[in-house]
Amino acid sequence: MKKMIITVSRQYGSGGRVIAKELAQRLGIAYYDKELIVLAAKESGFAEEIFEEAEEKTPNSLLYSLVMGTYGMGGQGVGVPDMPISDKVFLIQSDLIRSLAAKESAVFVGRCADYVLEGRENTTNLFLYAPLPVRIRRAVAEYGLAPEKSESAVLRIDKRRANYYNYYANRKWGKVDNYDLAVDTSKLAAEDTVSLLQQYIEMKYKKD
């Protein structure tokens, strides 16, 4: 079977991380989520905490213009003196994602991987979502959020993910056109959702 590159974007509380990890295991391919932080920190020399903190903040610079070559002054890449640390982190992680995707089949969770790998052959982009009440219940039961704060926390994290994606990818997070398949994870048990995705991917790559 051909090399598989799968990107997974997900709403908070949809169970996307668990589903993505199980999918990678069933397909027998690498899985990258928090693992990217460890690898990026090791390769860049930055502390892991810098990557974690950068992902928690809403970007506020002109990285898109920089990447597109319109910044004009000060050079390129992570060596640009005035580039915010969040932008440096994004570029480091993007380079790492591209490097890993060139070497092996893998599932990449979040970090605008669908945008970073846009145009690469054998790539499947997934978006996993669920109704808000379902995600709130999961956040309380599985993630340990306080019930009285769970709704605001779920909405806040989704907003942060949307802002991060919309900024760096310059397109709308969750828009169906950006993905090959969008799945409501509340419709099936997690293991059945994984089976559905596995079947779709195996059929797709067999066809390709």
Side-chain angles (χ1 to χ4, degrees), residues 118-177:
E118 187 174 26
R120 182 179 293 272
E121 292 184 358
N122 302 326
T123 299
T124 299
N125 301 316
L126 306 176
F127 187 80
L128 305 180
Y129 66 98
L132 181 58
V134 173
R135 295 190 288 124
I136 291 172
R137 287 197 296 272
R138 179 177 283 115
V140 173
E142 299 180 18
Y143 307 162
L145 269 63
E148 66 275 12
K149 299 180 179 179
S150 57
E151 180 173 354
S152 60
V154 169
L155 293 175
R156 183 179 67 254
I157 294 171
D158 268 358
K159 183 178 180 180
R160 187 185 72 216
R161 288 179 178 176
N163 288 341
Y164 186 91
Y165 182 90
N166 297 349
Y167 177 78
Y168 285 116
N170 198 39
R171 57 194 185 194
K172 189 173 182 180
W173 182 72
K175 185 178 180 183
V176 175
D177 294 355

Side-chain angles (χ1 to χ4, degrees), residues 2-208:
K2 296 180 180 178
K3 182 167 67 174
M4 299 178 181
I5 300 298
I6 301 160
T7 74
V8 179
S9 300
R10 75 283 183 224
Q11 289 182 325
Y12 185 72
S14 66
R17 178 176 284 115
V18 172
I19 290 170
K21 190 169 187 177
E22 176 62 25
L23 179 62
Q25 290 176 347
R26 289 198 195 181
L27 293 172
I29 62 179
Y31 170 83
Y32 293 104
D33 181 12
K34 297 296 184 182
E35 294 80 359
L36 286 169
I37 292 179
V38 177
L39 290 173
K42 183 177 180 180
E43 292 191 8
S44 67
F46 290 169
E48 291 180 22
E49 291 77 11
I50 291 177
F51 287 87
E52 293 170 349
E53 290 173 4
E55 293 181 357
E56 297 291 322
K57 298 177 182 178
T58 302
N60 57 2
S61 77
L62 297 176
L63 178 67
Y64 183 73
S65 295
L66 173 65
V67 172
M68 296 305 292
T70 58
Y71 191 81
M73 303 295 290
Q76 296 180 348
V78 296
V80 178
D82 296 328
M83 184 189 293
I85 190 64
S86 59
D87 291 357
K88 293 181 182 181
V89 165
F90 177 77
L91 290 178
I92 291 168
Q93 289 191 140
S94 296
D95 286 344
L96 178 59
I97 289 170
R98 283 188 286 265
S99 176
L100 292 168
K103 297 176 183 177
E104 61 183 343
S105 293
V107 172
F108 295 96
V109 177
R111 296 170 181 82
C112 304
D114 59 302
Y115 167 72
V116 171
L117 299 174
E118 187 174 26
R120 182 179 293 272
E121 292 184 358
N122 302 326
T123 299
T124 299
N125 301 316
L126 306 176
F127 187 80
L128 305 180
Y129 66 98
L132 181 58
V134 173
R135 295 190 288 124
I136 291 172
R137 287 197 296 272
R138 179 177 283 115
V140 173
E142 299 180 18
Y143 307 162
L145 269 63
E148 66 275 12
K149 299 180 179 179
S150 57
E151 180 173 354
S152 60
V154 169
L155 293 175
R156 183 179 67 254
I157 294 171
D158 268 358
K159 183 178 180 180
R160 187 185 72 216
R161 288 179 178 176
N163 288 341
Y164 186 91
Y165 182 90
N166 297 349
Y167 177 78
Y168 285 116
N170 198 39
R171 57 194 185 194
K172 189 173 182 180
W173 182 72
K175 185 178 180 183
V176 175
D177 294 355
N178 297 332
Y179 311 97
D180 296 290
L181 183 66
V183 175
D184 181 345
T185 60
S186 72
K187 300 301 183 182
L188 299 170
E191 59 269 25
D192 293 329
T193 300
V194 176
S195 296
L196 173 68
L197 296 174
Q198 180 182 3
Q199 183 178 17
Y200 170 81
I201 289 166
E202 290 178 342
M203 292 176 66
K204 178 179 183 292
Y205 283 99
K206 181 178 179 180
K207 175 179 177 294
D208 292 343

